[in-house]
Amino acid sequence: MKTDIEISQNANLEHITKVANQIGIENEDLEQYGNYKAKVDYSDADIPANHKLILVTSINPTAAGEGKTTLTIGLGDAFKHINKKCAIALREPSLGPVMGIKGGATGGGYAQVAPMEDINLFFTGDFSALTEAHNTLSALIDNHIQHGNKLNLDPRQITWKRVLDINDRELRQVVIGLGGRTSGTPRQDGFDITVASELMAILCLSKNLSDLKQRISKILIGYTYDKQPVTVKDLGVTGALALLLKDALKPNLVQTLEHTPAFVHGGPFANIAHGCNSILATKAALKSADYTITEAGFGADLGGEKFLDITAPKIGKMPDSVVIVATVRALKLNGGVSKDELDKENVTALKKGADNLGRHIENMKQYGKPVVVAINKFVSDTPSEIQALKDYISEHNVKGILADVWAKGGAGATELASELVNTCDQKAEFKPLYNQDDDILDKLTKIVTNIYGGNKVELSGKAQRQLKNYRKRGWNKLPICVAKNQYSFTDDAKKLGAPNDFTIHVREFQPKLGAGFIVALTGKVLTMPGLPSHPAALDMDIDNDGKITGLF
Amino acid sequence: MKTDIEISQNANLEHITKVANQIGIENEDLEQYGNYKAKVDYSDADIPANHKLILVTSINPTAAGEGKTTLTIGLGDAFKHINKKCAIALREPSLGPVMGIKGGATGGGYAQVAPMEDINLFFTGDFSALTEAHNTLSALIDNHIQHGNKLNLDPRQITWKRVLDINDRELRQVVIGLGGRTSGTPRQDGFDITVASELMAILCLSKNLSDLKQRISKILIGYTYDKQPVTVKDLGVTGALALLLKDALKPNLVQTLEHTPAFVHGGPFANIAHGCNSILATKAALKSADYTITEAGFGADLGGEKFLDITAPKIGKMPDSVVIVATVRALKLNGGVSKDELDKENVTALKKGADNLGRHIENMKQYGKPVVVAINKFVSDTPSEIQALKDYISEHNVKGILADVWAKGGAGATELASELVNTCDQKAEFKPLYNQDDDILDKLTKIVTNIYGGNKVELSGKAQRQLKNYRKRGWNKLPICVAKNQYSFTDDAKKLGAPNDFTIHVREFQPKLGAGFIVALTGKVLTMPGLPSHPAALDMDIDNDGKITGLF
């Protein structure tokens, strides 16, 4: 059996100009990066009213892998098999995790976007530009303090940390500015992973260059000794930061192994950020194809909720259908089966774990749009297990459709694609979860009770003080972006399935005034991951002819 | 008068494939990055024996600006005016200084490489890849310690620091790994600027992918508790790091405003590293054109010496001529004139300051190859000053030729180009400054006495202990790379002109076993610069149509 990278390396890709031309993108709107990657200059794209948007989300991810990206890509290819024009919009992978745990973000088997080595490494440099822009702002802040501190910034209250696109736990908490007067002001600081940067969120939510600048100018960098907020605008460096992001703002175009166009752009994690690709990428796809498939990170409780409450309103178009990806294996794991026992048939555990899926189905149905479950097939699934799962799904009055894109590519998801063509034509009103001008505590409570299935929200002392402060400043009407572990509906990663009667603990809020939302940090969620004891980097190699191994 | 960026934005560039084809590079050897940039896959290029190499170096740089890069570019263009085929090899700019002090590294006036915005910002991502690879190694080192530390690495003796391509004094000295057991091991660390990374030196000195891997494997990362050296090979991550640098290793091709091909690749600073573009870029230029002009960083005491002693032997070709760039203004400054008075004629100060040039001429003559002085014309130069300078140069038995490329482009340096055609045909034996198997202290002493004009070298206690240690380990036969301020022959930046009777103080050595040299840190030279009180970033902007201002 071929590995993902072998399948990708043997693929016959089309020249990127051909892929672009097929969906009406002219060469003058393309900036080529080699033969198979391009940036597209497509800000302020108009979306034809009859073009459809499909959101792919999933159950809570598990160590068993639910294959959401693979399904998204295969589904995109399936539309071609039923003679419909389709484009895909996806997030870019972060290099930190690529070096850590095997598993890139370009799909798998015969459902991949390509060239996978490039996309999983530096691609077109977007994350590098974000890292550089973020840390340039950090340097400019400390440099301002060094040269007289006209703004009266309090070094103890700088909220703008530093970032690297690397899993590096050693940099989570640091002391900087040591070495005496000529080497800065000693203070506490920390590094986040680049995908957690507010600039990443801003890049993904900006409609155009002017919107990008507007958002950058509003970024909160810290407070004065008098506790007054200080922004990028106050520091006077909006232009320099926008300039560093000028190319990163343009969506990247690549293709699937079956030549379906894929806009792969932006990549905030859904556990610590809003978790969706850029709205410019989704809009470029919507403009150019009749059907656009986009994916939101992690489960429907995180990426799904954030797409519907934060991102879609900014695109100006709600999804016409929602697909929830589930696998027999992941649900068995939710039902208490250990990882080693997943290959054995276990209908009882599956039925128990399926409650995780059930809650996600009901959650997505709340928003008013048609919901379909995609059962992503694995070799170990037995007919009784698949039947039991389909029965469970029917009880929730939605369709569960088997898809096998890993082995068959687009041909493995034609039934799912046909069903979505039907559901997208249904008239259905979008029902928002909360009103945009609810107080953030009300918004948060609605997410916790109506989506997670918990009882209540508990704010730490710090979070309570922050909330009071935000109400005074008028920041309390912003959308809320919950930072929570992805494995559980609760803030404890070990509680699988569909737990009830729990509390969500908010340890602190972070105002992301440029992105336009307030982050609520819950439980122990970390904004800088670490590497495992055997990082994937140890198994990577490149031979003298440039052939890569060990990248998955 | 138009600014550099305006001249560049109004230039009619040729498509990069046309530029490449003119010098025999086929489309299949090119990877396009947009229409005006490309990477060239040209490792192990053979250099035809009759192709000539010209090294451009200069007097000690001053705040007045000596315009070495501008001269190099204009000289490249001048060869076309005298019907000779020429290519240029240059370093890539570092973004840190671009954000700090006005002055990119793409030339000026009508002697520029283009597109200047791209080259001065992220270009083709080489520096981002180096930053990522460098810090990935850092994370892997600390991760190894975190997960049991099988190699017995001493956290107090990790020599591999972290890097960013940012001028950020606040990160020079830091304490990392705070926050308890799950967030690493507390230890001292620091950030250098990316151009000071050993990986930058390795990239610039590698002949091909196999050589790159070999060099990476030899990098010293620290010592065990038993004081035994530990390398990247011991850590087992050579392949992953080489993989991250696979594209960065390929030279970038751009063009001058007059369409002369320019290979712009790699950029170690000459004050803290070896200061020359990649040998792959120089070899690509040498393969494809009859004349190659390459530039070495800062003055002939730093970049010039390092090119001749470290880089050229690895290219396998010594320069056929050496050009020293001098300006009337910079020499007046060396002669004691203050910056505000430079516009006034002052032949006396010029003659006094010219001793700086005199020493550089004699230094370069030692190496046995023909030397020519290029007087880079400024509007304020008076006829008497230019005549006095020409007379001074004649006393040293070399030619001084006026060039005016800033205002006239290639047309301003045809006399210089014609003279170089003659000198490159002269038979001249290269005389190395030192023998490759001299002890590093002997090599250092020869550099200090024969190039800087000092009396002796003084080693700190630490440096003495290191030297003893290196002799034991057999590292003492490597070439030496002096880290010294660029403004003075001495290790005190304030001593201009041509001082005598001074001592060079080595505060510590750094073994760069992958690059294959030992760095000697002298005086107060810093490996992480800071930003000035009014950083250039404050004046940068990009309008809603993407038009950039404030980038010079």
Side-chain angles (χ1 to χ4, degrees):
Chain A
M1 206 161 64
K2 284 182 182 168
T3 62
D4 291 351
I5 193 169
E6 284 166 352
I7 293 171
S8 178
Q9 284 167 346
N10 291 320
N12 278 319
L13 299 183
E14 281 178 355
H15 197 282
I16 197 66
T17 50
K18 196 175 164 195
V19 175
N21 298 346
Q22 280 165 0
I23 49 168
I25 300 177
E26 302 299 328
N27 289 359
E28 59 260 32
D29 288 324
L30 280 185
E31 188 175 5
Q32 267 182 252
Y33 283 65
N35 295 331
Y36 307 111
K37 298 169 284 179
K39 281 200 167 274
V40 184
D41 204 349
Y42 243 31
S43 50
D44 297 310
D46 286 326
I47 307 170
N50 60 336
H51 284 194
K52 306 295 185 185
L53 178 61
I54 297 162
L55 170 67
V56 177
T57 180
S58 78
I59 57 170
N60 287 89
T62 66
E66 82 286 11
K68 177 159 48 78
T69 304
T70 305
L71 193 284
T72 303
I73 295 164
L75 176 58
D77 287 336
F79 276 80
K80 201 182 266 180
H81 290 256
I82 60 165
N83 296 313
K84 300 283 183 189
K85 234 182 192 174
C86 179
I88 299 169
L90 286 177
R91 287 168 303 154
E92 302 178 53
S94 162
L95 244 175
V98 167
M99 288 289 142
I101 300 164
K102 280 173 194 172
T106 48
Y110 289 88
Q112 295 189 50
V113 284
M116 77 90 93
E117 292 107 313
D118 293 14
I119 301 173
N120 277 314
L121 295 174
F122 297 102
F123 200 18
T124 57
D126 297 340
F127 286 23
S128 302
L130 285 159
T131 305
E132 181 79 16
H134 186 115
N135 293 329
T136 293
L137 175 54
S138 306
L140 288 163
I141 293 168
D142 283 304
N143 189 60
H144 180 88
I145 296 173
Q146 178 79 0
H147 291 289
N149 197 7
K150 263 193 197 160
L151 290 171
N152 198 30
L153 264 165
D154 182 353
R156 302 162 307 176
Q157 294 188 75
I158 306 294
T159 51
W160 189 257
K161 294 163 73 181
R162 287 170 164 85
V163 297
L164 282 177
D165 190 12
I166 290 178
N167 286 16
D168 194 350
R169 68 169 67 73
E170 187 81 11
L171 295 178
R172 278 179 198 149
Q173 293 190 41
V174 300
V175 172
I176 59 174
L178 302 174
R181 196 184 56 83
T182 56
S183 293
T185 304
R187 66 180 185 88
Q188 274 190 278
D189 197 14
F191 284 72
D192 289 336
I193 188 160
T194 299
V195 292
S197 168
E198 183 173 357
L199 283 176
M200 173 65 87
I202 287 175
L203 184 95
C204 289
L205 293 170
S206 291
K207 279 181 293 190
N208 50 40
L209 202 44
S210 147
D211 190 20
L212 178 82
K213 284 177 68 177
Q214 198 57 34
R215 289 171 178 276
I216 289 173
S217 73
K218 290 182 191 162
I219 292 172
L220 176 77
I221 57 173
Y223 297 87
T224 64
Y225 282 101
D226 321 324
K227 299 187 181 162
Q228 294 309 303
V230 180
T231 64
V232 166
K233 191 180 176 186
D234 298 326
L235 201 64
V237 296
T238 303
L241 300 183
L243 193 157
L244 288 171
L245 296 176
K246 73 179 173 72
D247 292 322
L249 184 65
K250 298 175 191 158
N252 308 297
L253 179 66
V254 292
Q255 64 191 292
T256 67
L257 299 181
E258 299 187 16
H259 317 309
T260 302
F263 294 89
V264 178
H265 189 225
F269 281 174
N271 53 350
I272 51 182
H274 76 283
C276 319
N277 60 261
S278 75
I279 68 168
L280 279 175
T282 305
K283 287 176 85 172
L286 277 166
K287 180 182 172 179
S288 46
D290 298 318
Y291 292 87
T292 290
I293 325 273
T294 190
E295 179 206 15
F298 294 123
D301 55 330
L302 285 167
E305 182 272 320
K306 290 168 184 176
F307 184 84
L308 295 164
D309 292 329
I310 299 174
T311 310
K314 287 182 183 69
I315 299 175
K317 166 138 187 90
M318 295 298 152
D320 298 285
S321 295
V322 177
V323 176
I324 301 175
V325 181
T327 66
V328 166
R329 293 166 71 87
L331 291 174
K332 286 198 290 189
L333 220 132
N334 266 284
V337 172
S338 77
K339 213 184 156 185
D340 308 333
E341 304 278 309
L342 285 177
D343 284 345
K344 287 193 201 148
E345 182 176 280
N346 190 335
V347 175
T348 320
L350 170 69
K351 280 183 179 167
K352 190 174 163 225
D355 284 344
N356 183 272
L357 171 61
R359 185 170 294 169
H360 286 296
I361 294 173
E362 294 306 322
N363 284 346
M364 291 297 104
K365 278 164 74 180
Q366 284 182 75
Y367 288 93
K369 295 290 188 171
V371 173
V372 179
V373 175
I375 306 171
N376 192 16
K377 194 176 180 308
F378 273 70
V379 216
S380 59
D381 301 350
T382 70
S384 334
E385 287 176 329
I386 289 170
Q387 192 53 52
L389 183 53
K390 283 191 170 178
D391 293 345
Y392 179 90
I393 295 164
S394 312
E395 288 165 25
H396 286 271
N397 297 314
V398 303
K399 276 200 183 160
I401 298 173
L402 199 65
D404 189 8
V405 299
W406 187 86
K408 296 181 185 161
T414 49
E415 189 191 342
L416 180 62
S418 301
E419 173 64 16
L420 287 165
V421 168
N422 293 334
T423 58
C424 283
D425 280 337
Q426 290 171 18
K427 283 239 177 300
E429 185 94 20
F430 178 79
K431 298 177 205 146
L433 180 69
Y434 53 66
N435 294 319
Q436 291 294 329
D437 57 349
D438 285 350
D439 180 87
I440 49 174
L441 187 57
D442 295 332
K443 286 176 179 148
L444 191 53
T445 307
K446 278 184 190 157
I447 293 170
V448 169
T449 53
N450 298 8
I451 302 286
Y452 303 164
N455 287 345
K456 63 170 173 135
V457 180
E458 197 173 278
L459 304 186
S460 71
K462 179 176 184 178
Q464 288 177 38
R465 286 192 301 278
Q466 288 179 306
L467 182 60
K468 212 171 130 187
N469 191 325
Y470 298 175
R471 284 178 181 150
K472 221 166 52 191
R473 301 196 192 281
W475 300 346
N476 61 319
K477 305 282 180 180
L478 291 169
I480 193 100
C481 178
V482 183
K484 179 178 76 66
N485 86 84
Q486 64 267 37
Y487 302 108
S488 169
F489 278 112
T490 77
D491 57 17
D492 174 355
K494 298 215 175 85
K495 292 197 178 133
L496 305 188
N500 287 307
D501 296 324
F502 60 87
T503 299
I504 291 283
H505 307 85
V506 175
R507 73 172 194 263
E508 72 170 282
F509 290 109
Q510 293 178 344
K512 306 288 185 186
L513 305 183
F517 53 66
I518 304 285
V519 171
L521 288 170
T522 71
K524 290 179 194 152
V525 71
L526 291 166
T527 50
M528 172 56 100
L531 291 168
S533 57
H534 187 93
L538 295 181
D539 304 315
M540 291 179 184
D541 205 0
I542 180 167
D543 72 13
N544 295 345
D545 299 322
K547 198 170 165 88
I548 290 172
T549 46
L551 192 65
F552 298 93
Chain B
M1 207 160 63
K2 284 182 182 168
T3 61
D4 291 351
I5 193 169
E6 284 166 353
I7 293 171
S8 177
Q9 284 166 346
N10 291 320
N12 279 319
L13 299 183
E14 283 179 354
H15 197 281
I16 197 64
T17 50
K18 195 176 164 193
V19 176
N21 297 345
Q22 280 166 0
I23 49 169
I25 300 177
E26 303 298 329
N27 288 358
E28 60 260 32
D29 289 323
L30 280 186
E31 188 173 6
Q32 267 181 254
Y33 283 65
N35 294 332
Y36 307 111
K37 298 170 284 178
K39 280 202 168 273
V40 184
D41 204 349
Y42 244 32
S43 52
D44 297 309
D46 286 328
I47 307 169
N50 59 338
H51 284 193
K52 306 295 186 185
L53 179 60
I54 297 163
L55 171 67
V56 178
T57 180
S58 78
I59 57 170
N60 288 89
T62 67
E66 81 286 10
K68 176 159 49 78
T69 304
T70 305
L71 193 284
T72 303
I73 295 165
L75 176 58
D77 287 336
F79 275 81
K80 200 182 266 181
H81 290 257
I82 59 165
N83 296 313
K84 301 283 182 189
K85 236 181 190 173
C86 179
I88 299 169
L90 286 178
R91 287 168 302 154
E92 301 177 53
S94 164
L95 244 175
V98 167
M99 288 289 142
I101 300 164
K102 280 174 197 172
T106 47
Y110 290 88
Q112 295 189 51
V113 284
M116 78 90 95
E117 292 106 314
D118 293 14
I119 301 174
N120 277 314
L121 296 173
F122 297 101
F123 200 18
T124 57
D126 297 340
F127 286 22
S128 301
L130 284 160
T131 304
E132 180 79 17
H134 186 115
N135 293 329
T136 294
L137 175 53
S138 306
L140 288 163
I141 292 168
D142 283 304
N143 190 59
H144 180 88
I145 296 172
Q146 178 79 358
H147 291 289
N149 197 6
K150 261 192 197 160
L151 290 170
N152 197 31
L153 264 165
D154 182 352
R156 302 164 306 176
Q157 294 188 76
I158 306 294
T159 51
W160 189 257
K161 294 163 74 181
R162 284 169 165 84
V163 298
L164 282 178
D165 190 12
I166 290 176
N167 286 17
D168 194 349
R169 69 170 67 72
E170 186 80 12
L171 295 179
R172 279 179 197 150
Q173 292 190 42
V174 300
V175 172
I176 59 174
L178 303 173
R181 196 184 57 83
T182 56
S183 293
T185 305
R187 64 180 186 87
Q188 274 190 276
D189 197 13
F191 284 72
D192 290 335
I193 189 160
T194 299
V195 292
S197 167
E198 183 173 357
L199 284 177
M200 174 64 89
I202 288 174
L203 184 95
C204 289
L205 293 170
S206 292
K207 279 181 294 192
N208 49 40
L209 202 45
S210 147
D211 190 20
L212 177 82
K213 284 177 68 176
Q214 197 59 36
R215 288 171 180 276
I216 290 173
S217 74
K218 290 183 192 162
I219 292 172
L220 177 77
I221 57 174
Y223 297 87
T224 64
Y225 282 101
D226 320 323
K227 299 187 181 162
Q228 294 309 304
V230 180
T231 65
V232 167
K233 191 180 176 184
D234 298 327
L235 201 64
V237 297
T238 304
L241 300 182
L243 193 158
L244 287 171
L245 296 176
K246 74 178 173 71
D247 291 323
L249 184 65
K250 297 175 192 160
N252 308 298
L253 179 65
V254 292
Q255 64 192 291
T256 67
L257 299 181
E258 299 187 17
H259 316 309
T260 303
F263 294 88
V264 178
H265 189 225
F269 281 175
N271 52 349
I272 51 182
H274 75 285
C276 319
N277 60 262
S278 76
I279 67 167
L280 279 175
T282 304
K283 287 176 85 173
L286 278 166
K287 180 182 171 176
S288 47
D290 298 320
Y291 292 87
T292 290
I293 325 270
T294 189
E295 179 206 14
F298 293 123
D301 55 330
L302 285 168
E305 182 272 319
K306 290 167 185 177
F307 184 84
L308 295 164
D309 292 329
I310 298 174
T311 310
K314 285 181 184 69
I315 300 174
K317 166 139 189 90
M318 296 299 152
D320 298 285
S321 296
V322 176
V323 176
I324 301 174
V325 181
T327 65
V328 166
R329 291 166 73 86
L331 291 174
K332 285 197 291 191
L333 219 132
N334 266 283
V337 173
S338 77
K339 214 184 155 186
D340 308 333
E341 303 278 310
L342 285 176
D343 284 345
K344 287 192 202 149
E345 182 177 281
N346 190 334
V347 175
T348 320
L350 170 69
K351 280 183 178 167
K352 190 173 163 227
D355 284 345
N356 183 273
L357 171 61
R359 186 170 295 170
H360 286 297
I361 294 173
E362 294 307 321
N363 285 345
M364 290 296 105
K365 279 164 74 181
Q366 285 182 72
Y367 288 93
K369 295 289 188 173
V371 173
V372 179
V373 175
I375 306 171
N376 192 17
K377 194 174 181 312
F378 273 70
V379 215
S380 58
D381 300 350
T382 70
S384 333
E385 287 177 329
I386 289 170
Q387 192 53 53
L389 183 52
K390 282 192 170 176
D391 293 345
Y392 179 89
I393 295 165
S394 312
E395 287 165 25
H396 286 272
N397 297 314
V398 301
K399 276 200 182 159
I401 299 173
L402 199 64
D404 189 8
V405 297
W406 187 86
K408 297 181 186 162
T414 48
E415 190 191 342
L416 180 61
S418 301
E419 173 64 16
L420 287 165
V421 169
N422 293 334
T423 57
C424 283
D425 280 337
Q426 288 171 19
K427 283 237 176 305
E429 185 94 20
F430 179 78
K431 296 177 205 147
L433 180 70
Y434 53 65
N435 294 319
Q436 290 295 329
D437 57 350
D438 286 348
D439 181 86
I440 49 173
L441 187 58
D442 295 332
K443 286 175 178 149
L444 191 54
T445 307
K446 277 183 188 156
I447 293 170
V448 169
T449 54
N450 298 8
I451 300 288
Y452 301 164
N455 287 345
K456 64 172 171 123
V457 179
E458 198 173 275
L459 304 186
S460 70
K462 180 176 183 176
Q464 288 178 38
R465 287 193 301 278
Q466 288 178 306
L467 183 60
K468 213 171 131 185
N469 191 326
Y470 297 176
R471 284 177 180 153
K472 222 166 53 191
R473 300 197 193 280
W475 299 345
N476 61 318
K477 306 282 181 183
L478 290 170
I480 193 101
C481 178
V482 183
K484 179 178 75 68
N485 85 85
Q486 64 267 36
Y487 303 107
S488 169
F489 278 113
T490 77
D491 56 18
D492 174 355
K494 298 216 177 84
K495 292 197 178 131
L496 304 188
N500 287 307
D501 296 324
F502 61 86
T503 300
I504 291 285
H505 307 84
V506 176
R507 74 171 193 263
E508 72 170 281
F509 291 109
Q510 292 179 342
K512 305 289 186 188
L513 305 183
F517 53 65
I518 304 287
V519 171
L521 288 171
T522 71
K524 288 179 198 155
V525 70
L526 291 167
T527 49
M528 172 56 99
L531 291 168
S533 58
H534 187 93
L538 294 182
D539 304 316
M540 292 179 185
D541 205 0
I542 179 167
D543 71 13
N544 295 345
D545 300 322
K547 198 169 165 88
I548 291 172
T549 46
L551 193 66
F552 298 92

